C-alpha cells in the first residue's frame, strides 16, 4: 500500500533532478562560451563537448538539438552584455567624458569578444533562434532614449527626437565597430573609439543647436540639467 508521503518524495526527487539538469545546462553553456573564445565563431558541437569534458552525445541529454544549445549560449551572452553595459547608463563627468566612456566600453567589449560577437551574428535569426545582437542593440538604444529625453526635457526641448537620435547613434557605433573588426586598416581600438566619440558629439551638438542650445562638450553639465544621477 502506498504511504501518504510517497508523492512528496517523488516530487522532491523530480525537483532535485530538474535542478541538476539546469545546473548541467549552465555548465555546458559556459563551456560553449569558452570554446567560442578558443576556436572562433565556427566552433563545432564536438569542440564544445570537448571543452566541457564530455562526449557530444552527453550534450544532447540536456539540449534538444544544436539549435537549442545555440539559443542557450546566445541567451547567456545577452545576459553578459547587458550586465557589462549596465554601469554606462548613469555616467559622471562632462558630455564628452560620458560619450567616450560609453563608446570606449562598447568598442572594447566587441574587440575583446570578437569571436563571440561573430558567433552571435551567425546564429541570430536562424530558424528557432533569437536575434540577440538586434535585441541588445534595441535595449541599448531604448536606454539611451531615456537618457536623452531627460536631458532634452531639462532644456525644454522637443523630446520626440530622442528615440531617433538614440537608434541612429547605436547603429553608427555598432556597424562601424563591426566593420573595424573585419578590417581594422591599421586603426587601433582607442583611435576608433575617439573617432566615434567625436562623430557622436557632432550629431548631439547639431540636435542641441537646432533647439537653440550651445554646450561645451568638455565642461560638466549644470546640476539642474544632470540631475542627482549625473551629479
Amino acid at each position: 500500500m502506498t504511504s501518504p508521503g510517497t508523492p512528496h518524495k517523488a516530487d522532491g526527487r523530480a525537483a532535485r533532478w530538474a535542478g541538476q539538469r539546469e545546473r548541467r545546462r549552465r555548465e555546458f553553456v559556459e563551456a560553449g562560451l569558452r570554446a567560442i573564445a578558443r576556436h572562433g565563431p565556427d566552433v563545432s558541437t564536438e569542440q564544445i563537448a570537448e571543452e566541457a569534458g564530455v562526449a557530444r552525445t552527453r550534450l544532447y541529454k540536456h539540449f534538444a538539438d544544436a539549435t537549442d544549445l545555440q539559443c542557450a549560449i546566445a541567451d547567456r551572452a545577452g545576459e553578459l552584455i547587458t550586465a557589462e553595459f549596465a554601469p554606462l547608463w548613469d555616467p559622471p563627468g562632462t558630455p564628452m567624458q560620458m560619450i567616450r566612456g560609453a563608446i570606449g566600453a562598447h568598442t572594447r567589449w566587441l574587440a575583446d569578444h570578437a569571436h563571440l560577437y561573430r558567433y552571435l551574428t551567425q546564429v541570430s535569426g536562424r530558424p528557432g533562434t533569437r536575434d540577440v545582437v538586434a535585441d541588445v542593440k534595441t535595449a541599448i538604444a531604448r536606454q539611451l532614449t531615456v537618457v536623452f529625453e531627460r536631458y532634452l526635457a531639462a532644456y525644454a526641448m522637443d523630446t520626440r527626437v530622442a528615440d531617433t537620435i538614440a537608434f541612429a547613434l547605436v547603429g553608427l557605433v555598432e556597424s562601424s565597430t563591426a566593420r573595424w573588426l573585419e578590417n581594422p586598416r591599421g586603426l587601433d581600438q582607442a583611435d576608433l573609439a575617439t573617432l566615434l566619440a567625436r562623430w557622436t558629439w557632432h550629431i548631439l551638438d547639431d540636435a542641441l543647436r537646432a533647439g537653440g542650445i550651445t554646450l561645451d562638450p568638455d565642461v560638466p553639465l549644470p546640476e539642474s540639467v544632470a540631475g542627482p544621477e549625473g551629479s
Side-chain angles (χ1 to χ4, degrees):
M1 184 175 179
T2 303
S3 67
T6 300
H8 296 288
K9 291 180 180 178
D11 289 346
R13 286 195 296 270
R16 286 194 297 274
W17 168 245
Q20 183 179 7
R21 179 181 175 81
E22 184 57 34
R23 178 180 61 81
R24 289 296 283 161
R25 277 178 63 95
R26 289 196 300 268
E27 290 173 354
F28 290 143
V29 166
E30 295 300 326
L33 293 172
R34 294 194 303 272
I36 292 167
R38 183 190 302 272
H39 300 288
D42 298 318
V43 64
S44 66
T45 306
E46 288 83 357
Q47 288 169 327
I48 293 175
E50 181 181 355
E51 182 68 33
V54 300
R56 187 179 65 138
T57 53
R58 181 65 64 84
L59 289 180
Y60 294 126
K61 290 185 177 181
H62 299 274
F63 299 92
D65 51 26
T67 298
D68 188 23
L69 175 59
Q70 291 168 353
C71 286
I73 292 173
D75 287 344
R76 178 58 178 151
E79 293 173 357
L80 293 173
I81 296 169
T82 301
E84 182 80 15
F85 293 159
L88 303 180
W89 307 135
D90 189 23
T94 68
M96 186 55 76
Q97 286 172 334
M98 297 178 194
I99 293 168
R100 284 176 178 159
I103 291 178
H106 187 85
T107 54
R108 276 194 304 275
W109 192 94
L110 289 179
D112 292 343
H113 300 84
H115 286 335
L116 179 56
Y117 174 76
R118 293 190 183 101
Y119 176 85
L120 293 175
T121 57
Q122 288 178 189
V123 304
S124 293
R126 290 179 183 173
T129 62
R130 170 182 156 223
D131 193 338
V132 173
V133 174
D135 288 351
V136 169
K137 287 193 293 185
T138 298
I140 292 174
R142 285 176 175 166
Q143 190 67 47
L144 281 177
T145 298
V146 173
V147 174
F148 292 162
E149 284 176 341
R150 186 178 76 198
Y151 288 119
L152 292 173
Y155 284 111
M157 293 180 61
D158 187 354
T159 60
R160 292 177 299 176
V161 300
D163 184 75
T164 301
I165 295 173
F167 276 82
L169 291 177
V170 169
L172 168 66
V173 173
E174 196 276 336
S175 61
S176 298
T177 307
R179 177 57 185 167
W180 172 77
L181 289 173
E182 295 298 327
N183 187 10
R185 298 178 69 87
L187 195 67
D188 64 24
Q189 180 269 327
D191 290 336
L192 173 70
T194 297
L195 280 174
L196 291 172
R198 189 170 74 239
W199 296 339
T200 295
W201 169 250
H202 285 319
I203 292 172
L204 294 174
D205 183 51
D206 180 76
L208 290 169
R209 288 177 184 273
I213 304 297
T214 302
L215 293 180
D216 185 333
D218 297 313
V219 173
L221 294 169
E223 288 190 12
S224 58
V225 174
E229 297 94 338
S231 59

